[in-house]
Amino acid sequence: MKKSTKKLAAMLICAALAGVSLAGCSNGEPETKAPETTAAATTAAETTAATAAAETKAEVKTDSGANMADANVKKKDPSKHYKFGYTCMDGTNPFFVTIEKTMREMVEAQGDELISVDPANDVTLQITQVEDLISQNIDAMFMNPAEAEGILPALDQLKEAKVPIVGFDTEVADMSYLVSYTGSDNYNAGFVCGEDLVKKCPDGGDIIVLDSPTMNSVTDRTNGFLDAIKGHNFNIVAQQDAKGNLEVAMGIAEDLLQAHGDVVAIFGGNDPTALGALAAANAAGIKECKIYGVDGSPDIKAEMASGESLIEGSGAQSPVKIAQSAVNIMYSYLNGETVDNRYPVETFLITSENVKDYGTDGWQ
């Protein structure tokens, strides 16, 4: 089949999100990133380091014991009208669509206003959009950066304008700009995917990693995944930036699978990336590959529930709870209350074995 024909097939499959038969590596019971690299099987010493890293991350997760998602904070002065700014890295991502919708409903229920902008993963545009929000005299800002470092000029401008910032889902490079941050335990979301792969492929094998190094959330997930598989005979035959985007991931995976059609697994930094890899794998006729994502989106859960998909699992998070937590933090701060530096939101693994517990019609 010519490459152009294959790409058309991949796009059609992507649009339909249709799967082929599920096959595993085994039925056994039981790091500086380069654009493309082959890694030797890791050592027992690395396994020890991975365990230490996981323990350290577990400590970070417990920075705050408060559950702000269910706090139901009301503003102190009902007559006060707040105008909030909102920006996320990619407003077309279903994860962020849900966050924005939830925030808007909560803010408007208190008689306030949410002005949303979408930079489409372009940090330069995001900075310009933040400047425009400041000119509209916003009272506070909900921030999810397209680039952790690149967004700093916008944070400087918000600070100069005395606009308080609550970060969500993805950290900025200098957290001192934020009054607080809430987001998923992204390291754990990747780590549980890696643990599942080790359990299901005890002999190891070649794998592809589709990450996004400019996004701190995806970097944390990737690090968790890689730490979990260290010392278990996995070879990273390719690691490339899919920018967290389905179509980009599909194109990259299509090319990589031509050279590495026998990989046992693909890890995607989010669910759109995993679905792009799935479309490419289906078009290439791949029968035995475990694909992992992070989000626990309705689309990825539907794939797992079908019982006929290469999607093996997703490190699940809840955009609804992230949004609720961010809004409750913001109102607490505006009420003059003391808020913690960070409020983590739980992550966990969803697979075909437990997807029925979470449903496929919406987010958990």
Side-chain angles (χ1 to χ4, degrees), residues 180-315:
S180 186
Y181 169 83
T182 186
S184 299
D185 184 344
N186 283 301
Y187 180 95
N188 183 67
F191 194 88
V192 294
C193 291
E195 281 186 319
D196 192 65
L197 177 61
V198 169
K199 175 183 175 182
K200 292 173 178 175
C201 294
D203 296 328
D206 291 345
I207 63 173
I208 290 171
V209 174
L210 300 178
D211 61 9
S212 186
T214 63
M215 302 176 186
N216 274 8
S217 57
V218 175
T219 297
D220 285 346
R221 297 165 188 175
T222 303
N223 288 340
F225 176 79
L226 295 178
D227 282 347
I229 66 172
K230 280 179 181 176
H232 295 282
N233 298 316
F234 288 100
N235 263 349
I236 305 170
V237 296
Q239 184 171 349
Q240 292 194 14
D241 181 3
K243 303 188 183 303
N245 181 272
L246 189 152
E247 291 185 1
V248 173
M250 182 178 66
I252 292 173
E254 181 185 43
D255 291 338
L256 291 177
L257 288 172
Q258 289 183 6
H260 308 289
D262 58 349
V263 292
V264 299
I266 300 174
F267 174 75
N270 63 6
D271 280 355
T273 299
L275 290 171
L278 172 66
N282 286 346
I286 302 295
K287 303 292 185 183
E288 297 184 11
C289 179
K290 296 182 181 298
I291 301 176
Y292 291 88
V294 172
D295 282 335
S297 66
D299 284 343
I300 214 86
K301 289 188 292 184
E303 282 291 325
M304 289 185 280
S306 73
E308 299 178 347
S309 178
L310 296 177
I311 297 294
E312 187 66 25
S314 181

Side-chain angles (χ1 to χ4, degrees), residues 63-141:
D63 280 357
S64 171
N67 176 14
M68 288 300 287
D70 300 322
N72 194 28
V73 178
K74 302 297 182 184
K75 61 184 177 183
K76 182 181 293 185
D77 182 1
S79 67
K80 172 71 175 176
H81 176 80
Y82 290 115
K83 184 188 294 184
F84 298 108
Y86 168 96
T87 182
C88 69
M89 63 181 69
D90 181 2
T92 66
N93 185 324
F95 179 80
F96 290 114
V97 170
T98 300
I99 286 181
E100 196 274 349
K101 178 177 181 291
T102 304
M103 284 189 179
R104 180 174 298 281
E105 290 173 350
M106 294 179 69
V107 164
E108 292 180 351
Q110 299 214 43
D112 295 326
E113 180 182 1
L114 186 72
I115 305 175
S116 302
V117 295
D118 176 15
N121 283 312
D122 182 342
V123 72
T124 301
L125 176 58
Q126 191 171 41
I127 292 169
T128 300
Q129 290 173 335
V130 169
E131 291 172 350
D132 182 61
L133 290 171
I134 293 172
S135 73
Q136 297 182 57
N137 297 314
I138 57 172
D139 297 293
M141 185 79 204

